[in-house]
Amino acid sequence: MTDVPHIPVLIDEVLDALAITPGEIHVDGTFGAGGYSSAMARAGARVFAFDRDPDAIREGQAVADAHGITLIPGEFSRMAEYLAERGIETLSGITLDIGVSSMQLDRAERGFSFQSDGPLTMTMSQDGMSAADFLNNAPEEEIANVIYRYGDEPKSRRVARAIVEARPLERTGQLAAVVRKALGHKPHDKKDPATRTFQAIRIHVNRELEELELALEAAEALLEEGGRLAIVTFHSLEDRIVKQFLRNRSGGDSGGSRHLPERAAGPQPTFAKPAKAVKPGEAELARNPRARSATLRSAIRTSAPAQKSPRSARA
Ligand SMILES: C[S@@+](CC[C@H](N)C(=O)[O-])C[C@H]1O[C@@H](n2cnc3c(N)ncnc32)[C@H](O)[C@@H]1O
């Protein structure tokens, strides 16, 4: 397979939202190929970047060194703890570009792709439970629930039954064939029927939604007054989590109706009303079709105390 470097998505819009003043400290929670981090450093930020993928860390070290970026191997849900170890307690900006990088998707040996055959791993951090561990050991009902919840697959039960009947599964090609057979793959299908199942298993294996929820809490705790949060997501489940968090923390869902008695005042909003969600324009989509489902949401921290102190990721 090709190994084109990752093209940063919505980079100009992210930089606008971060509004970096030289000398400020910013976190890039998803270093990837370093596209965001290096642009942030060029804008004058002191950047602390994270990635849970050892390949991204190894291959990104030269870029990080060239831009004076501190590159930290680990999950962004634990940023507060990693930063505290380096004496950093507050930040002017945090950005996350959630999801898989082109390097992860395009390398068959990483096991993320249904288009090329590889080992059935799908782990960003290259350790812990793999997709094969999950699919070969979990009960059928749990597999069906994961595929339904994280893949929005209406025929999740049929897919889960086919997976259980085909066990053991060891290769992405095997899994893709099982899913296509279970759902009926027509040559003219615009979208490969395996797409939803692969997305679901990847989200589950990497605990992606839990990571995002923890990172939002960490951002609330770490951003200084006026600090900026900018998050790019690639599917509706993630986008909903960001949207609801920002609505909740900006007082947008405190309700209130002129027909009801006044509610007791809730906690003070920790974020100002978020900016409107941003999608890539035609020019970006022409350059980079992979940007098509990206959504950027951003908001500015108020002076109100954080509503929660950051939890650590699951042990
Ligand atoms: C879409 S890429 C980021 C690309 C980057 N913005 C760039 O311009 O090159 C996402 C990266 O985030 C990493 N990642 C995803 N979830 C993570 C998490 N919870 N903690 C740390 N890194 C994570 C992935 O390993 C991947 O390298």
Side-chain angles (χ1 to χ4, degrees):
M1 276 306 286
T2 54
D3 196 9
V4 287
H6 183 92
I7 306 173
V9 171
L10 288 168
I11 179 77
D12 294 336
E13 293 82 354
V14 166
L15 288 174
D16 280 350
L18 292 177
I20 293 167
T21 299
E24 285 182 340
I25 304 179
H26 283 246
V27 155
D28 175 1
T30 50
F31 181 81
Y36 282 18
S37 283
S38 47
M40 289 156 66
R42 279 195 298 272
R46 180 171 165 214
V47 180
F48 290 83
F50 295 84
D51 207 294
R52 62 179 4 184
D53 183 342
D55 285 358
I57 298 290
R58 199 181 50 253
E59 291 165 25
Q61 197 58 59
V63 173
D65 290 346
H67 290 88
I69 295 162
T70 304
L71 187 51
I72 303 170
E75 289 166 339
F76 56 57
S77 57
R78 299 175 62 188
M79 68 174 93
E81 145 192 1
Y82 288 122
L83 291 168
E85 285 166 12
R86 290 161 175 84
I88 308 290
E89 305 284 345
T90 55
L91 298 168
S92 300
I94 297 180
T95 186
L96 301 174
D97 175 18
I98 307 285
V100 275
S101 67
S102 296
M103 291 89 72
Q104 290 165 336
L105 265 183
D106 291 342
R107 293 178 185 169
E109 71 273 17
R110 296 301 305 271
F112 284 98
S113 176
F114 52 81
Q115 284 163 336
S116 45
D117 187 41
L120 193 49
T121 40
M122 295 196 208
T123 52
M124 291 185 188
S125 59
Q126 305 187 30
D127 65 6
M129 177 181 69
S130 69
D133 293 336
F134 171 60
L135 294 174
N136 291 330
N137 294 297
E140 185 177 318
E141 195 183 339
E142 190 185 339
I143 297 174
N145 289 343
V146 164
I147 295 173
Y148 182 73
R149 201 175 308 138
Y150 300 148
D152 226 357
E153 171 55 70
K155 296 182 178 142
S156 55
R157 295 197 180 286
R158 192 190 295 179
V159 175
R161 194 172 322 121
I163 286 173
V164 168
E165 279 165 11
R167 297 203 285 213
L169 292 169
E170 301 298 342
R171 311 282 301 173
T172 54
Q174 247 181 312
L175 174 62
V178 167
V179 178
R180 287 177 191 136
K181 185 154 175 253
L183 296 178
H185 186 202
K186 297 175 206 74
H188 305 300
D189 277 347
K190 248 173 108 188
K191 198 166 170 185
D192 191 309
T195 312
R196 290 188 291 270
T197 295
F198 270 67
Q199 171 189 297
I201 295 167
R202 193 200 88 205
I203 290 176
H204 177 66
V205 162
N206 292 289
R207 306 191 318 272
E208 292 181 34
L209 304 186
E210 185 189 357
E211 278 290 305
L212 176 57
E213 284 164 359
L214 291 168
L216 290 168
E217 287 176 18
E220 181 184 52
L222 288 165
L223 284 173
E224 64 192 10
E225 179 182 358
R228 285 80 67 200
L229 177 64
I231 302 192
V232 175
T233 59
F234 284 84
H235 56 76
S236 55
L237 286 172
E238 294 165 340
D239 183 48
R240 200 176 312 143
I241 290 174
V242 179
K243 184 176 165 182
Q244 283 178 352
F245 175 86
L246 290 178
R247 184 189 291 155
N248 172 273
R249 295 305 209 264
S250 60
D253 61 6
S254 58
S257 154
R258 63 196 169 91
H259 304 296
L260 294 172
E262 222 165 87
R263 287 212 198 154
Q268 286 296 306
T270 51
F271 283 90
K273 192 168 172 289
K276 216 167 152 275
V278 179
K279 306 281 295 174
E282 304 259 316
E284 174 159 9
L285 292 177
R287 262 194 328 270
N288 182 14
R290 277 185 178 169
R292 75 188 166 279
S293 38
T295 304
L296 165 66
R297 291 190 187 269
S298 63
I300 298 178
R301 184 73 170 84
T302 67
S303 61
Q307 293 181 20
K308 278 191 177 173
S309 50
R311 290 177 286 158
S312 259
R314 211 172 60 181

